Amino acid sequence: MSDTEPTPPSVSRGPSAGLPPGLIERAVNIILRPAPTWETIASESASVKSIYMGYVLFLAAIGPVCAAVGSMVFGRGIPGLMVLHTPPLAAVASAIVGYALNLGMVYVLALIIDALAPSFGGRKDMLSAFKVAAYSSTAAWVAGVFGLIPALAILGLLGFYSFYLLYLGLPRLMQAPADKGLGYTVVVIIVSIVLWIIVAAIGGTIGGAAMMGMGGASLTQPMAESTVTTPVGSVDLGKLQKAADQMSKQAEAMKNGTAAPVKVADASAMAALMPASYMGAAAIDPSTSSGGAGGVNVATAETTYPVSGGTIRLKVSDSGGLGGLGGMMAAANMNVSNSSAGGYDKLTTQNGEMVSEKYDSNAHHGEYAVIADGRYSISAEGDHVDMDKLKALVASVDMNRLKALGG
């Protein structure tokens, strides 16, 4: 399985201008005939390099290129009211960053698939894991073509078909038993969603910075010295780079089987941080949980308070940073809000902590959460209570004591 193996990921040698033989047929087959195509892929001789060169490099470019062209030619906004055309520099910058992140993401996803395999009864096989990551992404990459016409961008949701492709291919190629295959797939899907969000956020931020010239950050500056400012907040590129380096090191450790689980707070100790009563109501239905896979652990403690005609569910958790993803969250200084007659929601950064606040005045339902260091979370969700009560309950849990419990 050397990277010098020449066999491309194809089942046909049909000609297509400028594209590797069989690329289009493989893409069509994996979408329309996934089950038999996965069988073919499982038995193919290939290498990570040949799949990159013969498949990934081309399909991963569809979304970034189409989005760039669409934003320059058609613009973004509301036709007839306000349409903004992205300047070429911004469009190209965003496309380059998005393309590079797509290429890196598929490899990171493969590392994670490979590392998680033994936890679900499968076998570690990096080539098979890379096949799963690359070919299951086909639908998402192809759906990127709708970015060419911004009005059709919503059709990009068809890319979620990639999750079905993953569901079919993952257990087959990683040889996970049927009773554990679904759990394996769900975990990988969650990781995939997080990775896609990161790719979209970073690509949009870099492109937006180039378009607006805001924040004083130059794309040629060392990341450790740059902060990119956007209309919804800023991103500390130094912290972002540090988090990316951490993810890279952890992924490599997972690949080599040397990754040690991140120590998280003891769930029972977190439960002890919660007040025994709130507004005269004793805590009921307490619960704790902890566990994880692939070097990633999560611990939570929850309890409920039946207060003044309503209920509030308090939850304290430690995600251990989710393998560096927490660091990426910590790199963002967000300030986003949305309001209507029916309520509001907003995401802000206060004193280095991410604060999420939502309230539906029609349903009398509210949610309030504070996240520190990208891993420690204290949240309250309530019905028929006002936001002040949710905030006060969250504030009653000492965040510094919670941090002291972690690794």
Side-chain angles (χ1 to χ4, degrees):
M1 297 181 184
S2 166
D3 277 357
T4 59
E5 295 180 51
T7 307
S10 61
V11 293
S12 171
R13 301 289 176 177
S16 182
L19 297 177
L23 182 147
I24 293 178
E25 184 173 356
R26 166 53 53 82
V28 170
N29 285 343
I30 192 66
I31 291 174
L32 300 182
R33 303 175 61 247
T37 303
W38 278 123
E39 292 298 325
T40 300
I41 291 171
S43 61
E44 279 182 343
S45 173
S47 68
V48 170
K49 179 179 179 180
S50 69
I51 298 173
Y52 254 125
M53 299 300 292
Y55 197 80
V56 176
L57 286 178
F58 296 88
L59 294 185
I62 294 175
V65 171
C66 288
V69 174
S71 65
M72 285 190 293
V73 176
F74 297 100
R76 306 287 185 184
I78 304 175
L81 181 61
M82 181 183 70
V83 176
L84 298 176
H85 293 268
T86 305
L89 174 61
V92 171
S94 183
I96 291 174
V97 172
Y99 181 48
L101 290 171
N102 276 350
L103 296 180
M105 189 192 75
V106 69
Y107 190 75
V108 171
L109 182 59
L111 288 173
I112 294 172
I113 289 172
D114 188 47
L116 289 175
S119 300
F120 294 93
R123 64 184 176 97
K124 285 179 65 67
D125 182 338
M126 183 56 189
L127 176 58
S128 293
F130 190 78
K131 286 180 176 180
V132 173
Y135 293 121
S136 67
S137 298
T138 299
W141 286 333
V142 171
V145 72
F146 294 112
L148 189 61
I149 302 177
L152 300 180
I154 187 64
L155 295 179
L157 293 175
L158 294 174
F160 283 119
Y161 182 68
S162 276
F163 293 148
Y164 177 66
L165 299 181
L166 181 71
Y167 167 73
L168 292 180
L170 181 67
R172 170 66 182 86
L173 270 70
M174 303 309 294
Q175 297 184 7
D179 60 331
K180 295 184 178 181
L182 180 58
Y184 189 10
T185 302
V186 170
V187 172
V188 173
I189 285 176
I190 293 173
V191 173
S192 300
I193 292 173
V194 173
L195 290 175
W196 278 111
I197 291 174
I198 290 173
V199 167
I202 297 176
T205 297
I206 298 299
M211 178 175 70
M212 294 175 288
M214 298 177 65
S218 166
L219 296 179
T220 60
Q221 285 181 281
M223 290 185 74
E225 301 176 1
S226 299
T227 298
V228 172
T229 303
T230 77
V232 296
S234 63
V235 177
D236 185 320
L237 297 186
K239 290 182 179 179
L240 194 65
Q241 185 177 40
K242 183 178 180 180
D245 290 342
Q246 180 187 351
M247 288 185 68
S248 177
K249 291 177 181 178
Q250 287 186 317
E252 186 65 26
M254 291 167 69
K255 175 184 176 183
N256 298 329
T258 59
V262 176
K263 180 182 180 298
V264 296
D266 178 75
S268 297
M270 291 195 300
L273 298 179
M274 299 177 169
S277 63
Y278 180 60
M279 296 182 62
I284 61 173
D285 300 328
S287 66
T288 58
S289 64
S290 61
V296 176
N297 288 329
V298 178
T300 63
E302 298 182 64
T303 194
T304 299
Y305 302 91
V307 298
S308 59
T311 58
I312 303 178
R313 186 71 175 173
L314 178 65
K315 180 177 180 181
V316 178
S317 65
D318 177 11
S319 68
L322 293 177
L325 297 180
M328 291 191 169
M329 291 174 59
N333 183 29
M334 306 303 293
N335 183 18
V336 186
S337 63
N338 179 52
S339 61
S340 66
Y344 68 91
D345 62 84
K346 58 183 178 180
L347 180 66
T348 59
T349 303
Q350 302 173 18
N351 301 318
E353 298 175 340
M354 190 170 291
V355 179
S356 173
E357 184 176 342
K358 302 178 183 179
Y359 198 82
D360 184 332
S361 55
N362 294 323
H364 302 288
H365 178 84
E367 300 175 28
Y368 182 76
V370 177
I371 304 171
D373 299 341
R375 61 179 284 184
Y376 303 103
S377 172
I378 305 172
S379 63
E381 181 175 358
D383 291 297
H384 300 288
V385 294
D386 58 44
M387 182 57 68
D388 287 341
K389 291 183 175 64
L390 299 179
K391 290 182 178 181
L393 180 55
V394 169
S396 71
V397 180
D398 191 325
M399 179 64 82
N400 290 327
R401 291 180 61 190
L402 173 59
K403 292 181 182 180
L405 294 175

